[in-house]
Amino acid sequence: MSVPPVPYDPELEPGLAAFLDLVERIPLRADTILANRAHFATIIPPAEQIVGDRPVELAEHTVPGPEGAPDIVLTVVRPASGVADAPALYSIHGGGMVLGNRFFGLDGLIDDVLLFGAVGISVEYRLAPENPAPAAVEDCYAGLVWTVEHADELGIDPSRIVVTGASAGGGLAAGVALLARDRNGPAIAGQLLACPMLDDRNESVSTRQYNGIGAWDRNNNDTGWDALLGPARGTDAASPYAVPARMTDLSGLPPAYLDVGAAEIFRDETTEYALRIWATGGQAELHVWAGGYHGFAGFSPDAEVSRSAVATRLSWLRRILRAG
């Protein structure tokens, strides 16, 4: 069934064109993953360049990975003035499960660290297809466990840790929250799921509306999920921690913030996830931004809808982190 797409906000269209030219220059297919990684490496600046003259300190920590798996690396960002009992933002990068590294999104994390006087932690997780599910979500969970265990030395208040992520990172953040619940792990204060990649089935109306058009279209999504799940994709063998939309029980989760554009493939699965959290009596705040493409606030920061989206996200963080 052919479904017409929701129109883009005209103010966002130049940013969308820039996104497609810079980020999605090479269509993402199984045989172009390596080429896309090489391209991504050219558009993610070194950490020192991302920091610039902002008053933060970066530290690298190699920490134990999941049992039987390699160690993982965390980049920890702290205000140069030092902190104690600070809130923490545990950040998981996007990239469709197959691209990117812990410096992808570091710029925005630094902004939030300075705004909230927080500690930011960005985790390096293993990518698919070389490392199929549940490698990525297990790496992210292991990094969170280490962070909580070392909260004192990092200057973190362990009762004020928010797990955040966008796109694939949003899906992984949701999976980490589920693992923490089911393993009686860290008591996460909140989960911030920005345009999250939650459902491997790729069959919603919104995925069909953006089939071959827009930022991160249905074809790219197929590539990412195929790489992550292999033959388990579309079956009951797919782990609900890797595919949070498959989790039958969404009760007992930390408060969730979910936001997504109305003009992108993840609109419907994000909305459904919020509805299912509410159905259990859980806390969720959902925002669907009119005319927004995937990741619109980052590439169209001056648009009115982008400014509203950023202000709303920061408002939720202030409430969850109990920050002034």
Side-chain angles (χ1 to χ4, degrees), residues 60-231:
E60 302 291 312
H61 296 269
T62 300
V63 310
E67 185 175 356
D71 290 345
I72 57 176
V73 179
L74 305 176
T75 293
V76 177
V77 187
R78 293 157 48 94
S81 57
V83 291
D85 294 321
L89 302 169
Y90 185 83
S91 177
I92 305 174
H93 72 79
M97 307 292 181
V98 298
L99 305 173
N101 60 36
R102 66 189 183 280
F103 304 125
F104 185 43
L106 183 61
D107 186 58
L109 180 61
I110 292 170
D111 287 344
D112 288 347
V113 162
L114 291 172
L115 180 63
F116 292 107
V119 176
I121 304 97
S122 186
V123 56
E124 191 77 35
Y125 58 84
R126 288 171 289 169
L127 300 175
E130 297 89 343
N131 303 284
V137 71
E138 290 286 0
D139 285 353
C140 295
Y141 180 73
L144 176 67
V145 169
W146 182 90
T147 297
V148 172
E149 290 175 345
H150 294 79
D152 285 346
E153 68 186 72
L154 295 173
I156 290 171
D157 175 355
S159 72
R160 292 193 294 159
I161 298 177
V162 171
V163 177
T164 79
S167 195
L172 290 167
V176 165
L178 292 167
L179 283 171
R181 178 197 68 180
D182 293 346
R183 293 178 180 175
N184 295 314
I188 301 167
Q191 50 179 325
L192 195 161
L193 315 179
C195 49
M197 183 176 176
L198 298 168
D199 194 341
D200 65 309
R201 287 162 287 201
N202 212 20
E203 292 293 339
S204 70
V205 170
S206 59
T207 63
R208 295 183 179 280
Q209 287 177 302
Y210 299 93
N211 185 355
I213 62 172
W216 193 258
D217 78 336
R218 189 167 187 254
N219 301 296
N220 288 4
N221 207 40
D222 274 331
T223 300
W225 283 118
D226 284 345
L228 184 72
L229 298 176

